[in-house]
């Protein structure tokens, strides 16, 4: 059996250092009540969400040392479940703030597309960045 060199522990005298650690979720689809126009009230619309979280860099040995992707997806679904949100920007800010509740997250970038909201456009949307 061949063992992977990545499976060995990092030596104490390792000259390399962590400079950046990002965790991301791309293309998360959520059905949400969203929009300010009358025709958007009382119906769900598809949002496509990308989240990038920058964490305090450091060794990662177990799931507890990082952010679980499912936590990010659950936060987005919870915001949608809370009820109608007027603006995509508001949804993005709420999700970024939810991610920053974990003290290991130093910066949260949330990009939301709202496909079908504008004719002849692949997807309008917004991107918000919140940091400590």
């Amino acid at each position: 059996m061949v063992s992977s060199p990545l499976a060995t522990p990092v030596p104490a005298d390792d000259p390399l250092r962590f400079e950046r650690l990002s965790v991301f979720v791309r293309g998360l689809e959520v059905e949400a009540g969203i929009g300010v126009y009358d025709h958007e009230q009382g119906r769900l619309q598809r949002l496509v969400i990308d989240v990038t979280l920058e964490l305090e860099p450091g060794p990662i040995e177990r799931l507890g040392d990082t952010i679980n992707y499912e936590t990010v997806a659950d936060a987005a679904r919870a915001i949608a479940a809370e009820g109608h949100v007027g603006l995509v920007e508001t949804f993005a800010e709420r999700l970024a703030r939810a991610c920053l509740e974990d003290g290991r997250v130093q910066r949260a970038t949330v990009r939301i597309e709202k496909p079908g909201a504008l004719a002849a456009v692949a997807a309008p949307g917004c991107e918000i960045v919140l940091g400590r």
Side-chain angles (χ1 to χ4, degrees), residues 6 8 10 20 36 47 55 61 64-65 67 79 81 83 95 100-101 110 116 121-122 127 130:
L6 297 177
T8 59
V10 177
R20 190 176 111 192
V36 296
L47 300 178
L55 282 62
E61 298 293 332
D65 296 332
I67 302 296
I79 292 166
L95 182 52
L100 283 160
E101 287 178 9
V110 177
V121 173
E127 180 173 282
L130 293 182

Side-chain angles (χ1 to χ4, degrees), residues 31-111:
E31 294 289 322
I34 195 154
V36 296
Y37 296 111
D38 289 342
H39 70 275
E40 296 178 301
Q41 304 300 315
R43 69 182 187 100
L44 299 178
Q45 297 184 71
R46 182 170 65 104
L47 300 178
V48 180
I49 302 170
D50 296 336
V51 177
T52 301
L53 305 176
E54 292 181 26
L55 282 62
E56 190 67 42
I60 307 298
E61 298 293 332
R62 56 190 211 290
L63 185 57
D65 296 332
T66 188
I67 302 296
N68 186 328
Y69 313 126
E70 193 61 38
T71 304
V72 176
D74 287 347
R77 291 182 191 115
I79 292 166
E82 289 173 357
H84 194 90
V85 177
L87 299 171
V88 172
E89 292 83 351
T90 303
F91 193 108
E93 180 182 357
R94 288 179 186 171
L95 182 52
R97 289 183 182 281
C99 291
L100 283 160
E101 287 178 9
D102 187 311
R104 297 171 294 179
V105 177
Q106 299 300 302
R107 183 178 176 152
T109 302
V110 177
R111 183 176 192 267

Side-chain angles (χ1 to χ4, degrees), residues 11-34:
D13 61 346
D14 185 4
L16 302 177
R17 63 184 173 81
F18 281 90
E19 291 194 11
R20 190 176 111 192
L21 172 60
S22 295
V23 172
F24 60 87
V25 174
R26 297 275 185 265
L28 173 65
E29 293 190 17
V30 173
E31 294 289 322
I34 195 154

